[in-house]
Amino acid sequence: MNNFNHYYDSEEIRRVVSVIVLNEDNVLSRIVGLFSARGYNIDSLTVAPIPQSEYSRITIVTNGDRRIIDQIVKQLNKLIPVLKVNEHQNMIEKDTVLIKFPIDQDISNIDVIARAYHGSIQNVTEDAIFVSATDSPSRVANFITVMQKFQPLEIVRSGVVAMER
Amino acid sequence: MKMTGAKIVIESLHKEGTEVVFGYPGGAIMNVYDEIYKQNHFQHILTRHEQAAIHAADGYARATGKVGVAIVTSGPGFTNAVTGLATAYMDSIPMVVISGQVPTQIIGTDGFQEIDAVGISRPCTKHNYLVKDVKDLPRVFKEAFHIASTGRPGPVHIDIPKDATINEADFVYPKEVYLPTYKPTTKGNKKQLKKALDALKKSKKPLIYIGGGAVLSNCAHEIRELAKRCNIPAVETLMARGVMGHDNPLLFGMLGMHGEYAANMAAYETDLLISLGARFDDRVTGRLDEFAKGAQVIHIDIDPASIDKLVKPDFPIVGDLKNVLESMLEALKEIELIDYTSWVKELTEYQQKEPLRYNESEDGAIKPQWVIEEVGHILGNRAVVSTDVGQHQMWAAQFYPFSYPRQFITSGGLGTMGFGLPAAMGVARGMKDKVSVNFTGDGSILMNIQELLTCTEYELPVINIVLNNNYLGMVRQWQTLFYENRLSETDLSIQPDFTKLVEAFGGRGYKVHTKEDFKIALKDAVESKKVCMIEVIVDRLENVLPMVPNGHALNEMTLLGDE
């Protein structure tokens, strides 16, 4: 018999947590401040208002052992403007990436590969080719790796949004 | 009716039943102070430092159970207040702190006396507000008092830009709060409670472990009832002193780093730890993986985040302690428990074998523990005892005979030196029928000494007992025990003349070297009804014992004579 934290599963896990918060001043800083003050990690964070409501949804990708994830959920719940915290188990996750390539790269190959990742060429200017793709976070990561050979100039990821199935 | 924001602040405080406010004026809060001048709903006590205003409101709240209120200005006024907020936050003290802010159009331009106050107070308050629109003020005040005093209590900070104190709005104070996102759980889960009681039925060595939450939840009666009816022994944390009452035969003292031998052994040997409003602080548990190692744990707390934070309980119950204990006592009527007499006897033997004690000094110097005992002997229940932080704090916790909750006012979680005098001031204001005694050290007292003047001005007869060993005693103790006696920057041989100092501030001073002189000084101090300072020259090298060295288990105590 023992009750102490080393009995927790100490394996690091990745978790996607949705936080429904009141739209008010400072609310994002409360969330982010909690993570920094207590030494928790944020891998990505997205925020947008929930249509026709006074709330916003914040989607946070984090990692830690079971004890840390439990504490993250509880500590978030403690914040006054937080309505609900959902630790996703079975969800659809989407991440978007924008990549800029020099104009002299092979545009047709870029296009073919982008399509394989639910993406496409968005824009072409005198200097650059712009591609976007929206897919699961791991596939977006693969896509970025694959695209390295076309010498990307800039890569911008949106962070994850998720919805429970 | 249209009112200025400043007037709304005053009316809101009045609606909340505020009888005293501690504070310090300044540019950004002047409109509110102008209204304070015109009103007669509450007393304003001008402290001489903003930190002291917050500690005074804190001491007032701890002693009376009401919400403490303090007002400061923007910028440095607010940054001075932060230590007070953090102190109250760590010990879950209900408070509302109002600060002025530069006008909204100046915010963000590095204006004179501007600081991001809500940014700074966020990690050390339960909640905070920046009220840019005067229309929001009544709602914010209603919410602030509600949030401060419900659930797990805590300080709430309201930052008000100067223009919001000038602008006008209709004053309608809300009757109820509308906070759909804030609903603390107060009733414990019945099924969980039943499981916990089933465990109690099987337990041979249950132990009640009482934390500060028991004081905040006002449930000392229920806890005493639980212990008595079932004959279960109990131990208290620093923050819970007084809950059981010192003469309760089922109380085995304070546990933790400077806990009593019997209390720490009880925590080591128990097979069922019943945690009531305690949070398994590291100063209490010692080495965590050895704490109550063979025990199942029932953890009752109003804050779900306290449960599972450090210890994974077998029976977590979220709810207000008083509510849960009432249900528990009801359910216990139908339960037959094992007779714990032999377990209580075992602990009594530990207590007799190794009671709290100290040796008289060979050169006749006064022992600090004697001073605490003597004050306890003379004032007992009549005193509400505050402390600063250090050796004297631990000796007070160990040796003062606390009889009721809220009798011991101390900074437990943050350990704030400079807390004692202003907190004792708040106690003196809130508990006029008691004697407000502040045990302090020669290090701590200098951290807010200017408040002696506040005591004089407002006739707050705080009796400061300075246990003077010419050291930062607790750090010196660690240096002696763990740093081969390298006394780095802890020798306080150069000191002011404390007697002259307190006299300069309008109070009475006594410097005593003997027990007889101390008795005379204390009697005189109590009768004088003035702020007093009794400087007691104590044995310089006395250590706080027992002690569990950092990183050790509770059964690995250094006892008197082991050093």
Side-chain angles (χ1 to χ4, degrees):
Chain A
M1 200 186 309
N2 197 309
N3 304 288
F4 304 105
N5 55 10
H6 60 270
Y7 260 63
Y8 272 99
D9 196 346
S10 61
E11 189 199 342
E12 284 261 318
I13 45 174
R14 172 184 177 276
R15 270 288 177 264
V16 180
V17 177
S18 284
V19 193
I20 314 294
V21 296
L22 270 177
N23 292 328
E24 59 172 39
D25 287 358
N26 273 312
V27 65
L28 190 58
S29 72
R30 285 183 210 286
I31 305 283
V32 176
L34 187 151
F35 275 77
S36 63
R38 293 190 182 264
Y40 308 144
N41 298 316
I42 295 180
D43 289 342
S44 89
L45 179 144
T46 58
V47 196
I50 298 174
Q52 279 114 43
S53 84
E54 52 182 332
Y55 298 102
S56 281
R57 178 189 300 271
I58 301 176
T59 309
I60 300 167
V61 182
T62 183
N63 59 69
D65 62 20
R66 190 64 248 164
R67 185 178 70 91
I68 289 175
I69 302 293
D70 283 353
Q71 271 295 308
I72 288 173
V73 171
K74 286 178 172 182
Q75 294 290 349
L76 285 169
N77 261 315
K78 250 176 97 165
L79 297 176
I80 309 290
V82 169
L83 181 71
K84 199 172 172 217
V85 183
N86 194 354
E87 185 193 337
H88 291 295
Q89 304 290 346
N90 182 14
M91 68 202 149
I92 297 170
E93 276 185 77
K94 290 293 170 197
D95 195 350
T96 292
V97 63
L98 284 167
I99 310 180
K100 177 159 66 176
F101 301 97
I103 193 71
D104 56 4
Q105 289 296 321
D106 181 346
I107 192 162
S108 55
N109 268 339
I110 289 173
D111 185 48
V112 170
I113 297 168
R115 282 165 194 278
Y117 285 92
H118 297 117
S120 59
I121 292 172
Q122 296 296 320
N123 198 353
V124 180
T125 66
E126 281 181 18
D127 314 315
I129 306 162
F130 295 83
V131 169
S132 89
T134 300
D135 211 323
S136 68
S138 58
R139 282 182 52 86
V140 167
N142 281 343
F143 178 56
I144 292 168
T145 312
V146 171
M147 287 316 218
Q148 290 302 325
K149 65 178 168 192
F150 301 106
Q151 266 109 50
L153 295 167
E154 204 178 337
I155 300 171
V156 178
R157 280 179 85 161
S158 67
V160 170
V161 292
M163 188 179 270
E164 195 74 17
R165 276 190 227 271
Chain B
M1 191 174 58
K2 288 261 185 216
M3 276 184 198
T4 63
K7 187 95 199 298
I8 290 174
V9 170
I10 306 301
E11 289 300 319
S12 300
L13 291 175
H14 178 46
K15 290 275 185 198
E16 290 295 338
T18 304
E19 57 156 3
V20 61
V21 165
F22 301 87
Y24 204 102
I29 197 74
M30 276 179 76
N31 295 315
V32 172
Y33 270 84
D34 193 45
E35 290 297 332
I36 288 176
Y37 185 85
K38 295 182 218 162
Q39 58 86 41
N40 53 14
H41 299 313
F42 53 80
Q43 183 187 19
H44 179 276
I45 291 182
L46 173 70
T47 59
R48 263 53 176 183
H49 191 292
E50 288 89 351
Q51 183 190 347
I54 315 299
H55 289 328
D58 180 329
Y60 173 87
R62 289 181 202 236
T64 62
K66 298 175 193 164
V67 178
V69 181
I71 304 182
V72 299
T73 193
S74 67
F78 178 74
T79 54
N80 280 347
V82 171
T83 304
L85 282 170
T87 305
Y89 182 61
M90 286 290 274
D91 291 341
S92 305
I93 305 304
M95 266 176 19
V96 172
V97 173
I98 300 153
S99 59
Q101 182 54 281
V102 299
T104 17
Q105 61 272 27
I106 309 284
I107 290 179
T109 65
D110 303 320
F112 177 65
Q113 293 195 326
E114 183 191 354
I115 196 78
D116 173 14
V118 286
I120 292 176
S121 74
R122 197 187 338 103
C124 55
T125 50
K126 184 172 172 186
H127 194 52
N128 61 12
Y129 296 90
L130 171 60
V131 191
K132 289 184 190 160
D133 190 335
V134 63
K135 288 192 206 72
D136 294 332
L137 273 173
R139 172 185 61 81
V140 166
F141 270 82
K142 182 77 189 173
E143 287 180 10
F145 276 83
H146 178 72
I147 290 169
S149 58
T150 55
R152 179 178 182 168
V156 178
H157 168 218
I158 305 173
D159 196 34
I160 312 174
K162 192 167 185 178
D163 50 320
T165 64
I166 302 167
N167 295 343
E168 292 190 343
D170 278 323
F171 179 70
V172 181
Y173 203 63
K175 286 203 171 60
E176 280 172 20
V177 266
Y178 172 72
L179 280 169
T181 59
Y182 175 70
K183 291 197 178 87
T185 309
T186 54
K187 299 264 186 241
N189 181 301
K190 292 264 176 211
K191 278 186 194 158
Q192 225 16 42
L193 183 63
K194 191 177 173 305
K195 282 190 206 161
L197 290 173
D198 285 342
L200 179 59
K201 274 197 276 187
K202 291 183 199 121
S203 158
K204 293 186 179 69
K205 295 182 170 186
L207 181 69
I208 299 173
Y209 156 44
I210 310 167
V215 176
L216 299 167
S217 171
N218 297 311
C219 60
H221 170 75
E222 286 77 8
I223 293 177
R224 291 180 192 197
E225 189 64 21
L226 173 69
K228 190 178 165 194
R229 208 191 286 173
C230 308
N231 197 32
I232 305 175
V235 292
E236 291 174 346
T237 68
L238 178 78
M239 294 303 295
R241 294 308 263 157
V243 168
M244 284 289 282
H246 72 98
D247 51 1
N248 194 317
L250 287 168
L251 176 66
F252 290 88
M254 179 172 79
L255 80 168
M257 181 175 273
H258 294 296
E260 283 179 46
Y261 180 73
N264 282 352
M265 291 308 288
Y268 188 69
E269 292 191 2
T270 177
D271 65 358
L272 180 69
L273 191 70
I274 308 168
S275 167
L276 306 179
R279 59 184 179 89
F280 298 85
D281 182 75
D282 53 273
R283 278 289 192 273
V284 166
T285 61
R287 203 176 129 182
L288 192 61
D289 57 358
E290 290 286 325
F291 180 65
K293 197 179 182 183
Q296 287 194 301
V297 176
I298 301 172
H299 191 171
I300 307 174
D301 205 295
I302 194 148
D303 178 7
S306 273
I307 288 172
D308 258 14
K309 188 175 69 178
L310 291 157
V311 166
K312 188 173 176 58
D314 302 270
F315 310 100
I317 301 176
V318 177
D320 177 62
L321 201 49
K322 196 179 175 83
N323 274 332
V324 176
L325 285 169
E326 278 167 1
S327 313
M328 197 189 241
L329 287 169
E330 192 56 36
L332 275 168
K333 284 180 183 164
E334 289 155 25
I335 292 176
E336 188 110 353
L337 293 175
I338 299 171
D339 181 5
Y340 306 122
T341 310
S342 65
W343 165 231
V344 173
K345 190 161 163 264
E346 190 183 333
L347 295 182
T348 310
E349 278 162 13
Y350 280 134
Q351 203 170 34
Q352 284 159 353
K353 182 181 155 212
E354 202 61 56
L356 263 185
R357 64 198 156 92
Y358 56 92
N359 293 327
E360 289 298 331
S361 57
E362 284 160 16
D363 60 359
I366 298 182
K367 284 285 180 162
Q369 298 95 328
W370 176 87
V371 179
I372 313 269
E373 281 184 332
E374 184 63 17
V375 177
H377 181 62
I378 293 173
L379 293 176
N381 287 348
R382 285 168 61 206
V384 172
V385 173
S386 307
T387 73
D388 266 301
V389 170
Q391 287 185 313
H392 67 271
Q393 178 189 29
M394 291 300 125
W395 285 318
Q398 290 176 332
F399 287 91
Y400 198 91
F402 296 105
S403 302
Y404 49 92
R406 304 189 183 281
Q407 194 187 3
F408 185 46
I409 311 294
T410 197
S411 165
L414 198 67
T416 309
M417 288 173 75
F419 173 79
L421 170 54
M425 228 155 68
V427 172
R429 176 59 185 77
M431 308 294 286
K432 288 179 176 167
D433 55 338
K434 299 280 181 189
V435 183
S436 178
V437 174
N438 173 36
F439 287 111
T440 178
D442 45 309
S444 286
I445 189 63
L446 285 167
M447 285 207 180
N448 264 321
I449 192 103
Q450 74 287 344
E451 296 310 315
L452 290 171
L453 193 60
T454 312
C455 293
T456 299
E457 177 172 354
Y458 295 92
E459 298 178 353
L460 301 169
V462 174
I463 299 175
N464 295 283
I465 299 175
V466 183
L467 300 175
N468 187 353
N469 55 12
N470 288 88
Y471 277 124
L472 282 179
M474 191 59 99
V475 186
R476 196 278 306 152
Q477 175 170 339
W478 282 52
Q479 287 169 339
T480 301
L481 298 174
F482 312 120
Y483 293 84
E484 297 168 326
N485 212 31
R486 289 185 296 278
L487 305 187
S488 177
E489 306 297 324
T490 48
D491 187 318
L492 302 184
S493 292
I494 305 298
Q495 277 180 338
D497 182 329
F498 284 110
T499 310
K500 278 189 189 158
L501 197 61
V502 65
E503 282 167 1
F505 283 116
R508 284 202 192 184
Y510 312 83
K511 183 169 187 166
V512 302
H513 293 87
T514 66
K515 290 181 177 178
E516 266 325 295
D517 285 352
F518 179 75
K519 288 179 191 177
I520 295 165
L522 182 63
K523 188 165 180 288
D524 194 66
V526 173
E527 283 167 6
S528 76
K529 304 275 185 204
K530 281 189 163 188
V531 60
C532 297
M533 183 148 17
I534 306 175
E535 179 195 1
V536 191
I537 309 303
V538 296
D539 194 334
R540 260 200 113 186
L541 295 173
E542 187 66 6
N543 287 338
V544 180
L545 292 168
M547 179 175 193
V548 179
N550 241 5
H552 285 247
L554 285 191
N555 64 325
E556 300 171 328
M557 278 162 277
T558 305
L559 299 166
L560 188 67
D562 287 351
E563 296 151 88

